[in-house]
Amino acid sequence: MAGIKSEMAIKGELTYADKVIEKIVGLALETVDGLLAADGGFLANVKDKLINTDTVTDGIHVEIGRKQVAVDLSVVVQYQKHVPTVFENIKAVIAEEIKRMTGLEVVEVNVSVADIKTYQQYENDKVSLQDRLADAAQTTGDFASKQYTKLAKEAESVSDGPRVR
């Protein structure tokens, strides 16, 4: 492109919504051995089992500056895993992914261990939660259907009644 001066820069600013950085963190955490969940989110090193992409940000909070990021997490760690090693792995994977994808520097990662569970306990809890949610959805659907039928019958009986002229 002849004629364009190389010293001429296009002005502008690149910013990230908290949700974007939280998602990067959540997806990066899937690779951390011994980490089951971030505050109820479904990580558990089961990339194929993420229920939906929004749950990946559960338990993750970030503060974003112009060039730096701080991350706070509340996590569930797998029983018999060395928690300080899990913590170091969490910090490393978060710093690497955020830097790689955004160029931002991670200056702080605070992790609060909310619970420790065996993998089996975690799986059982997860299945129980999914079953409870499915049952609640079914119950709500049944109730709505019954209410609709009831109202339809009432409307029908009103329209069949005597008419005022």
Side-chain angles (χ1 to χ4, degrees), residues 66-87:
R66 288 180 178 242
K67 296 180 181 182
Q68 298 177 328
V69 176
V71 180
D72 294 322
L73 304 169
S74 178
V75 300
V76 178
V77 177
Q78 188 174 349
Y79 177 68
Q80 292 188 329
K81 295 291 182 172
H82 186 250
V83 178
T85 300
V86 173
F87 175 56

Side-chain angles (χ1 to χ4, degrees), residues 16-151:
Y16 299 95
D18 289 358
K19 176 179 164 180
V20 171
I21 302 300
E22 289 168 356
K23 241 181 199 183
I24 292 169
V25 170
L27 292 169
L29 290 176
E30 291 178 5
T31 64
V32 177
D33 181 47
L35 182 61
L36 296 176
D39 193 30
F42 296 95
L43 296 175
N45 298 324
V46 284
K47 298 174 197 94
D48 303 330
K49 293 184 183 179
L50 266 174
I51 292 177
N52 75 46
T53 56
D54 290 336
T55 62
V56 79
T57 63
D58 289 350
I60 302 168
H61 304 285
V62 299
E63 289 182 37
I64 307 168
R66 288 180 178 242
K67 296 180 181 182
Q68 298 177 328
V69 176
V71 180
D72 294 322
L73 304 169
S74 178
V75 300
V76 178
V77 177
Q78 188 174 349
Y79 177 68
Q80 292 188 329
K81 295 291 182 172
H82 186 250
V83 178
T85 300
V86 173
F87 175 56
E88 291 303 318
N89 291 339
I90 287 170
K91 291 191 304 184
V93 74
I94 287 173
E96 181 180 328
E97 277 304 290
I98 288 178
K99 184 72 169 177
R100 185 180 69 78
M101 293 188 68
T102 67
L104 297 172
E105 176 189 7
V106 176
V107 292
E108 188 173 288
V109 176
N110 299 303
V111 176
S112 172
V113 179
D115 203 353
I116 292 181
K117 295 182 180 185
T118 66
Y119 187 79
Q120 189 59 49
Q121 285 172 323
Y122 176 76
E123 285 296 311
N124 290 343
D125 290 349
K126 187 168 65 170
V127 169
S128 298
L129 176 62
Q130 289 172 347
D131 289 344
R132 285 192 302 260
L133 290 173
D135 289 347
Q138 181 64 44
T139 302
T140 303
D142 291 346
F143 175 76
S145 179
K146 287 176 186 173
Q147 289 300 100
Y148 174 79
T149 302
K150 179 180 169 185
L151 290 172

Side-chain angles (χ1 to χ4, degrees), residues 151-164:
L151 290 172
K153 286 181 182 177
E154 287 175 9
E156 187 177 294
S157 68
V158 169
S159 66
D160 290 342
R163 298 184 189 267
V164 179

